[in-house]
Amino acid sequence: MDTLAGLHTYRAGTDAPPLVLLHGFPYDHRMWDEVAAALPGTHPVLGVDLPGTPGHATGLPDPSLEVSADVVADLLRGAGVDRAVVAGLSMGGYVALALLERHPRLVAGLALVDTRSTPDTQAAYANRLRVADEVERAGTVDAVRGGVAAVLAPSTPLGRPEVVATVTSWVEEQPPTGVAWAQRAMAARPDRTAVLATFDGPSVVVVGAEDALTPVEEAEHMVAASQHGRLVVVPGAGHLSSVEQSADVAEALADLVARVQR
């Protein structure tokens, strides 16, 4: 895999718009590794490490997902990409919608995976700020390490303990400063349902059938708001469908890429 300052090339390919994969919190591009490996075809596939991840957690401006979206746009344009199929999981979905709002001509197709277009509730907002303060004060990621079980389908820890170990290791490798920054950035995000409604390109909303954090109802809300959205519910997956059921997610993304290329 080639790497250039936060942009990871899973597959170089044709001149077609690349599929760009934006990760969730508190992880990095590695959560897409198995999906990228399972994708059919020859189109380019890129992964992005967003602000706050290892190597990208110092010298950050005030926390905002708009900053993250601008970073993605700059990385893509720096690589000569002016149109892309953008897929974001959880926080990556929030960034994808901010990218659509701020750089609409970059987005040829949109996949929103285990995410929502609405802002945090007051309770979730307060909890993000509490966790950010705790992580910063402690200088460790202990405050988010325990959340791994909550993002997986109930059957995953029992039947696939290696998945729990892998996801936990990703969390432990994140810098506390970056974790705090990302929490505050997510807390500050607005409702972008109206932004989604303006998009007239192909889109898909993918959600784990057992996602307790952004459940199927949230996915249905985004499909209803979109002009050309399709819903894909992934069985046997919680909030990390790209990790738990990578082949199903790869199939959904491949279908989206094919719709863009028609």
Side-chain angles (χ1 to χ4, degrees):
M1 181 192 300
D2 295 329
T3 303
L4 178 63
L7 190 65
H8 303 262
T9 302
Y10 283 110
R11 183 170 71 202
T14 64
D15 292 333
L19 174 63
V20 177
L21 304 171
L22 307 179
H23 62 81
F25 168 91
Y27 316 107
D28 51 47
H29 75 277
R30 291 173 293 177
M31 70 179 306
W32 289 108
D33 285 356
E34 292 188 11
V35 170
L39 284 164
T42 60
H43 58 276
V45 182
L46 306 174
V48 175
D49 278 336
L50 295 168
T53 53
H56 306 278
T58 59
L60 292 169
D62 290 343
S64 80
L65 297 180
E66 291 79 8
V67 166
S68 297
D70 291 347
V71 166
V72 173
D74 288 346
L75 285 171
L76 293 179
R77 290 177 178 136
V81 174
D82 57 9
R83 294 281 282 169
V85 182
V86 180
L89 187 150
S90 193
M91 180 180 70
Y94 306 155
V95 175
L97 287 170
L99 183 71
L100 177 62
E101 181 177 56
R102 296 171 70 81
H103 306 275
R105 294 185 179 181
L106 268 176
V107 184
L110 180 65
L112 298 170
V113 185
D114 297 297
T115 190
R116 55 164 52 96
S117 60
T118 52
D120 283 339
T121 64
Q122 282 299 313
Y125 173 88
N127 187 61
R128 287 198 195 279
L129 298 186
R130 180 192 64 77
V131 170
D133 290 345
E134 185 175 338
V135 166
E136 217 166 43
R137 189 166 50 245
T140 73
V141 296
D142 289 349
V144 292
R145 183 186 288 109
V148 170
V151 299
L152 300 172
S155 60
T156 298
L158 295 174
R160 300 167 66 193
E162 72 281 2
V163 172
V164 179
T166 297
V167 173
T168 301
S169 72
W170 291 340
V171 174
E172 291 172 342
E173 292 172 21
Q174 302 307 309
T177 54
V179 168
W181 188 92
Q183 281 281 42
R184 293 178 179 130
M186 288 187 287
R189 76 185 191 280
D191 190 323
R192 286 198 165 96
T193 305
V195 174
L196 174 59
T198 67
F199 182 58
D200 63 359
S203 64
V204 65
V205 179
V206 181
V207 61
E210 300 174 62
D211 187 340
L213 300 186
T214 52
V216 173
E217 292 78 13
E218 293 282 358
E220 291 171 337
H221 168 78
M222 291 187 289
V223 172
S226 64
Q227 297 184 36
H228 307 290
R230 294 180 181 176
L231 176 65
V232 174
V233 180
V234 180
H239 192 60
L240 295 188
S241 60
S242 72
V243 178
E244 295 177 274
Q245 301 295 341
S246 55
D248 289 347
V249 175
E251 182 179 356
L253 297 185
D255 177 72
L256 175 64
V257 170
R259 289 166 61 199
V260 171
Q261 292 177 341
R262 286 181 194 138

